[in-house]
Amino acid sequence: MKNVLVTGGAGFIGSNFVQMMLERYSDLNLVVYDKLTYAGNPDNLLPVAKNPHYSFVEGDICDAAKVDEVMRRHNIDTIVNFAAETHVDRSLMEPGGFIQTDVYGTFVLLEAAKKYQIERYHQISTDEVYGQVLEGRSVETDCLHTRSPYSAAKAGGDLMCLAYYTSFNLPVTITRGSNNIGPYQYPEKVVPVFVTNAIDDKPLPLYGDGRQMRDYQFVLDHCDGIDVVLRKGKIGEVYNLGTGSENTNIELAHLILKLLNKPESLIQPITDRPGHDRRYALDCGKVKSLGWQSQHNFEQAVEATVKWYVDNEGWWRKIKDGRHYQEYYQRQYAGREVNK
Ligand code: NAD
Ligand code: DAU
């Protein structure tokens, strides 16, 4: 691993990964390839902008000619694919873009990986591909039971990766992470929505009964797990990455309000997300055997995240004040309030 193409590296997890890897290794060159959709933000990469081992190329993973050019020009030996449409609610509004990027875009990258016979293709996937898990925990060999256009598209990407491993011997690995929280998360996902609304004394829109469960993990723990799998993971294998414990969204809302010293009356129940998965839960035993385990528990991860949003108000205000965000927020939340 020397010249790494990080697709989707201007997004939330990708930018944390790039910062972490450049801090960790002085012998790696990282090329971020990103379309800069609404979720891609060059500000996320400002801390590494002057690093001589980092470069940025604006481009779409569905653009085979441009992907080919970047592979050749930078002599890429490893691809880590973070690029995706990632928000479940948006996948309910406009699923087409999810299929295009998360399935077709993955195929384009796999073809490039095959052509250039690279050392490793690593796919960043999600616990959502297992579907909701009402009891027990998902292991990597479980069948995929996706229920949203987002998770179905991600599952399509995973299966294409495994097909390239089986059919063409492509050196593929996959990690399936649980919900990430931390610095630079676009304020459409629940934690940055709740934190930034609470700072502004605005309502926290809680879907349904708020008893859905997620495994909220700190983003840098997830990035560390990806690094471990890149270095020690077995080719052709899938690894779950999470804390292995879950909390409800209502617990999350209470903790955020407590940390910010805001009243619980800010919690506003709203109509539920259609097809809302009740619970995800990962068994992370397989990756533990590679020596990885998450370092932050739920409270520590939420506290570190709240602190970052308090300290970096300029970053999220620039997004929230923009027309794109305000139109999205209106379309997503207007008129959904239900009586408390
Ligand atoms: P994000 O939405 O913050 O960022 C996605 C990035 O991909 C953006 O920079 C965007 O510009 C880029 N992108 C989108 N379409 C592209 C295209 N066609 N070509 C090139 N770039 C494109 O996403 P995130 O939360 O950082 O998620 C990153 C990856 O991790 C995704 O694959 C996602 O499915 C997966 N994942 C996310 C979570 C989570 O909790 N956020 C958990 C598990 C797995
Ligand atoms: O599980 C991993 C997945 O986590 C990733 O693959 C996805 O990319 C990422 O978006 C995330 O999906 P979720 O749907 O779990 O995340 P979201 O932050 O949208 O919602 C988390 C929970 O909070 C979910 O039960 C819905 C609820 N929610 C969400 C929003 C945005 C609310 O109650 N209110 C909200 O305003």
Side-chain angles (χ1 to χ4, degrees):
M1 186 162 75
K2 181 147 178 47
N3 299 320
V4 184
L5 187 67
V6 184
T7 51
F12 163 47
I13 308 175
S15 61
N16 277 283
F17 178 77
V18 168
Q19 292 189 37
M20 184 197 81
M21 293 297 272
L22 288 172
E23 257 170 46
R24 241 174 219 193
Y25 304 106
S26 55
D27 58 342
L28 276 188
N29 298 312
L30 298 188
V31 181
V32 169
Y33 182 82
D34 197 295
K35 187 180 172 184
L36 296 181
T37 67
Y38 76 93
N41 186 347
D43 290 353
N44 300 359
L45 292 163
L46 283 178
V48 296
K50 296 206 165 85
N51 188 311
H53 293 284
Y54 158 78
S55 51
F56 180 83
V57 179
E58 186 173 342
D60 188 333
I61 60 167
C62 302
D63 182 344
K66 190 142 195 188
V67 168
D68 189 271
E69 185 196 323
V70 86
M71 294 289 293
R72 193 169 23 83
R73 183 150 38 92
H74 293 272
N75 199 16
I76 296 298
D77 54 51
T78 304
I79 296 177
V80 184
N81 179 29
F82 292 89
E85 288 295 337
T86 62
H87 192 35
V88 173
D89 292 311
R90 288 188 197 251
S91 84
L92 300 170
M93 295 173 185
E94 283 161 9
F98 288 71
I99 295 156
Q100 184 67 13
T101 290
D102 302 9
V103 185
Y104 183 76
T106 298
F107 154 73
V108 169
L109 294 176
L110 289 165
E111 277 292 298
K114 177 156 120 348
K115 176 176 169 186
Y116 287 95
Q117 300 183 353
I118 67 173
E119 284 170 32
R120 180 72 73 86
Y121 176 93
H122 183 76
Q123 178 79 349
I124 307 300
S125 185
T126 166
D127 58 2
E128 301 209 6
V129 297
Y130 297 115
Q132 62 176 359
V133 185
L134 300 180
E135 281 174 18
R137 308 194 157 273
S138 304
V139 292
E140 290 84 349
T141 47
D142 282 352
C143 289
L144 309 186
H145 288 292
T146 58
R147 290 161 31 100
S148 73
Y150 164 68
S151 56
K154 289 297 290 184
D158 280 23
L159 294 176
M160 198 55 75
C161 292
L162 294 173
Y164 270 65
Y165 165 67
T166 307
S167 309
F168 308 118
N169 251 330
L170 195 77
V172 163
T173 44
I174 298 176
T175 45
R176 293 186 177 143
S178 66
N179 288 57
N180 283 225
I181 60 174
Y184 306 108
Q185 187 169 33
Y186 189 87
E188 64 185 352
K189 310 283 164 54
V190 70
V191 168
V193 167
F194 281 7
V195 173
T196 58
N197 282 14
I199 290 171
D200 283 346
D201 297 304
K202 291 196 170 134
L204 276 54
L206 184 71
Y207 294 174
D209 65 3
R211 310 226 171 265
Q212 305 80 14
M213 303 193 90
R214 296 289 185 272
D215 173 349
Y216 291 101
Q217 69 173 320
F218 194 59
V219 62
L220 287 172
D221 288 339
H222 183 211
C223 292
D224 181 48
I226 295 164
D227 186 21
V228 167
V229 171
L230 278 171
R231 284 168 193 281
K232 300 189 193 160
K234 197 167 157 236
I235 299 302
E237 294 288 321
V238 178
Y239 295 89
N240 290 340
L241 293 174
T243 70
S245 77
E246 304 79 39
N247 290 87
T248 62
N249 294 327
I250 196 139
E251 286 168 342
L252 174 70
H254 285 149
L255 177 57
I256 289 170
L257 291 169
K258 190 173 131 209
L259 288 166
L260 289 168
N261 202 17
K262 299 284 181 175
E264 296 199 349
S265 56
L266 282 179
I267 296 175
Q268 173 61 63
I270 65 169
T271 54
D272 209 350
R273 169 188 282 173
H276 195 169
D277 285 342
R278 197 77 186 156
R279 174 177 179 265
Y280 304 126
L282 290 175
D283 180 316
C284 298
K286 186 171 172 184
V287 73
K288 267 196 190 136
S289 68
L290 301 183
W292 180 84
Q293 93 176 42
S294 168
Q295 296 300 310
H296 295 74
N297 66 23
F298 173 68
E299 285 77 14
Q300 291 165 333
V302 174
E303 193 174 343
T305 304
V306 168
K307 183 174 178 341
W308 190 85
Y309 280 85
V310 168
D311 292 346
N312 291 275
E313 196 168 322
W315 181 88
W316 56 266
R317 275 229 189 272
K318 192 167 156 188
I319 296 170
K320 286 192 97 166
D321 288 347
R323 214 183 70 196
H324 173 91
Y325 185 83
Q326 291 186 2
E327 282 173 7
Y328 163 77
Y329 200 89
Q330 178 72 10
R331 186 174 172 201
Q332 169 65 8
Y333 293 106
R336 285 178 65 180
E337 295 84 359
V338 294
N339 290 335
K340 293 192 192 185

